[in-house]
């Protein structure tokens, strides 16, 4: 699409017209697109428009409502369009519909929050590590047992601060087996709490 400096529409292709639920360019030429943008994103939309007419390019993801009320998410990359003299004459916006992507992200976020809530209510300690052994989940039972908060534990190797030095190689070996799907039935080692106590963990 092409926008004038005041945000009014100059030109839009068929795909763009379908996104905003317009039947033809004649029906929407000269209107401002800002009112179609949902209020939380309208200031950013106006800002990126202003930036383009000052010579900058930008990308924005925002929610909007079509002319017939359909809600959708768009990602727009906006750049200045210049004439042969180098003057900026319009905003050239290349948009793509990212509605399904945003819905998937929102669903995964809800699932993640639900899982976190469940992990925080169970009585057992639950630690989730990435493939490198760094902590990515550390539930409330872990915090109570060890004295470390999740923010303090996040991103650290579990054996660097929770496992006594003489047991680190054993824990690393078990973890290496887990990453190659050689699953032991049970393992037992000590954890060191923040206040220096040793706690035997059976996992």
């Amino acid at each position: 699409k092409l926008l004038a400096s005041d945000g009014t529409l100059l030109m839009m292709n068929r795909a763009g017209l379908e996104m905003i639920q317009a039947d033809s360019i004649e029906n929407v030429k000269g209107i401002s697109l800002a009112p179609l943008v949902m209020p939380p994103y309208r200031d950013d939309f106006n800002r990126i428009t202003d930036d383009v007419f000052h010579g900058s390019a930008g990308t924005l993801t925002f929610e909007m409502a079509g002319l017939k009320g359909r809600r959708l998410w768009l990602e727009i990359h906006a750049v200045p369009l210049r004439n042969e003299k180098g003057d900026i004459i319009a905003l050239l916006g290349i948009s793509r519909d990212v509605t399904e992507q945003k819905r998937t992200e929102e669903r995964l976020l809800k699932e993640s929050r639900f899982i976190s809530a469940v992990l925080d209510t169970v009585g057992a300690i639950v630690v989730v590590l990435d493939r490198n052994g760094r902590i990515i989940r550390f539930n409330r039972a872990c915090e109570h047992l060890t004295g470390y908060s999740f923010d303090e534990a996040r991103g650290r190797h579990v054996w660097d601060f929770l496992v006594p030095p003489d047991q680190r190689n054993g824990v690393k070996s078990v973890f290496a087996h887990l990453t190659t799907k050689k699953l032991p039935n049970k393992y037992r080692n000590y954890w060191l709490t923040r206040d220096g106590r040793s706690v035997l963990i059976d996992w």
Side-chain angles (χ1 to χ4, degrees):
K1 61 176 171 280
L2 295 180
L3 298 183
S5 58
D6 61 358
T8 55
L9 184 64
L10 299 173
M11 186 182 299
M12 179 175 278
N13 66 5
R14 172 53 55 185
L17 293 172
E18 289 176 357
M19 287 179 185
I20 67 171
Q21 297 181 295
D23 296 325
S24 68
I25 185 62
E26 288 74 21
N27 291 342
V28 292
K29 190 174 182 179
I31 72 166
S32 174
L33 293 184
L36 300 180
V37 178
M38 301 306 292
Y41 309 97
R42 200 168 292 160
D43 286 345
D44 290 335
F45 183 85
N46 290 330
R47 189 177 301 114
I48 199 173
T49 302
D50 186 61
D51 288 346
V52 165
F53 281 93
H54 284 85
S56 300
T59 300
L60 178 67
T61 301
F62 61 95
E63 189 181 17
M64 66 170 292
L67 295 173
K68 298 176 183 177
R70 183 186 63 187
R71 299 274 285 267
L72 72 160
W73 285 88
L74 294 179
E75 180 185 81
I76 182 173
H77 181 62
V79 298
L81 181 66
R82 301 177 184 270
N83 62 17
E84 63 277 3
K85 296 179 182 179
D87 300 324
I88 300 172
I89 58 173
L91 175 153
L92 172 61
I94 301 172
S95 303
R96 68 186 185 99
D97 188 337
V98 294
T99 304
E100 287 306 313
Q101 176 184 326
K102 289 295 293 185
R103 287 174 178 167
T104 299
E105 290 173 357
E106 290 171 0
R107 186 178 72 250
L108 291 174
L109 180 60
K110 288 179 181 178
E111 290 175 357
S112 177
R113 287 173 176 166
F114 174 73
I115 291 170
S116 294
V118 170
L119 294 183
D120 280 339
T121 57
V122 299
I125 60 173
V126 179
V127 184
V128 182
L129 311 178
D130 67 14
R131 291 187 62 86
N132 297 311
R134 292 187 178 91
I135 294 171
I136 57 176
R137 287 192 186 275
F138 196 75
N139 74 343
R140 216 164 273 161
C142 287
E143 292 181 325
H144 292 159
L145 178 70
T146 66
Y148 293 100
S149 70
F150 175 43
D151 286 339
E152 293 173 307
R154 189 202 314 258
R156 299 175 68 179
H157 288 99
V158 66
W159 43 75
D160 283 348
F161 69 111
L162 289 177
V163 179
D166 63 333
Q167 296 189 350
R168 286 175 187 168
N169 287 339
V171 172
K172 288 180 181 180
S173 176
V174 172
F175 180 74
H177 281 254
L178 288 172
T179 59
T180 58
K181 299 183 180 179
K182 298 176 182 177
L183 305 179
N185 292 325
K186 187 176 290 188
Y187 192 76
R188 179 177 292 181
N189 64 271
Y190 282 95
W191 270 11
L192 298 175
T193 66
R194 186 171 201 148
D195 59 8
R197 294 179 296 112
S198 292
V199 181
L200 188 60
I201 302 297
D202 194 8
W203 56 284

